[in-house]
Amino acid sequence: AEAPDAAAAGEVAAVRRVFAQHREAPLRRQLAGVRASIAELYMTDLCDLDDAEQQCEDALTHGLEVDPTCLEVLSARATLRKVQGRCDEAKQLTLEAARMVKAAAGRPAASEDDAEEGESGDEEEGAAKRGGGDIGGEGDGGPLADEDVVAALCRTMIDLEQTAEARELLVGLLERDEQDLRAWVLLGWCHVVENDPETAQDCAKHGLKLCKKHGATSDAFRPELQKLYKKAQVMERPPAQPAAAN
């Protein structure tokens, strides 16, 4: 009779450990997020300090110790590696972070061929053709990443020319809020990097239309959209493909 009692006690203890871990997870995530914010501070406002780089490294190391799956920490670490010129490491970190975002949305990672399909840039239809899935809200995998974190991750990916993955995440943000001006700006720069000026212009023009609609609340994004539009205008168009012989 003692063996079943021992087994039952073990099961109860295991269940209690699981519940304790679930209660601690949000706290660990918050603490790791604080460390990521500290690192970002040393990469921006405090970057002139002699020990800024080391302070940034220490903050990110501590953040990963608290929560190895914290998206904010992975994204900030990728940005640091990019700034340091360690681009291969940065690319690995951004892809890992992107997989986490899509896993939370209950979506598999798309191949580059899938991500390149349908890039019309025509408002909602254009966004739908670029991909699917809600990256910025609530998905099958639970609460999803903060929009600011996803946007920061996409900026780093664009700088690293990982535009296929960046576009997939940005489309997810647009499917949550088609009027997300920041996402339209970043999506346009994806197409600049891909030497697709026409689609980049479409993104800029759509964003500027939204600026007119929203008035003063969109002033922060209007200069970025105008810069994007001018950049796309002066880009060389890809040569036309020769007609197939009959």
Side-chain angles (χ1 to χ4, degrees), residues 64-186:
L64 287 175
E65 289 173 353
V66 173
D67 183 2
T69 64
C70 178
L71 180 63
E72 290 91 333
V73 174
L74 287 175
S75 180
R77 201 175 197 191
T79 301
L80 177 62
R81 294 292 178 261
K82 182 199 73 173
V83 172
Q84 293 171 328
R86 297 160 63 176
C87 293
D88 288 342
E89 291 181 51
K91 289 179 179 179
Q92 291 177 358
L93 289 165
T94 55
L95 291 176
E96 182 180 352
R99 283 193 292 268
M100 288 172 54
V101 173
K102 289 180 282 188
R107 300 175 58 210
S111 67
E112 287 192 12
D113 292 339
D114 292 337
E116 290 172 358
E117 290 181 359
E119 300 168 3
S120 69
D122 295 333
E123 302 188 4
E124 294 182 8
E125 181 181 357
K129 288 182 179 178
R130 290 189 185 91
D134 187 351
I135 297 294
E138 191 79 19
D140 295 338
L144 303 184
D146 181 86
E147 292 177 3
D148 293 338
V149 179
V150 176
L153 174 61
C154 289
R155 285 185 185 276
T156 301
M157 297 183 87
I158 293 168
D159 289 342
L160 294 169
E161 299 186 357
Q162 296 172 297
T163 52
E165 289 284 353
R167 279 192 285 109
E168 187 175 0
L169 299 186
L170 291 167
V171 166
L173 293 180
L174 287 172
E175 290 183 344
R176 183 185 182 194
D177 178 8
E178 195 271 339
Q179 302 185 46
D180 185 340
L181 290 170
R182 176 174 52 188
W184 283 110
V185 170
L186 293 173

Side-chain angles (χ1 to χ4, degrees), residues 184-200:
W184 283 110
V185 170
L186 293 173
L187 191 59
W189 283 110
C190 281
H191 292 291
V192 168
V193 173
E194 294 172 342
N195 196 30
D196 182 2
E198 292 185 4
T199 310

Side-chain angles (χ1 to χ4, degrees), residues 210-220 222:
L210 293 174
C211 285
K212 290 182 180 179
K213 177 180 178 181
H214 293 291
T217 59
S218 61
D219 284 348
R222 187 174 287 107

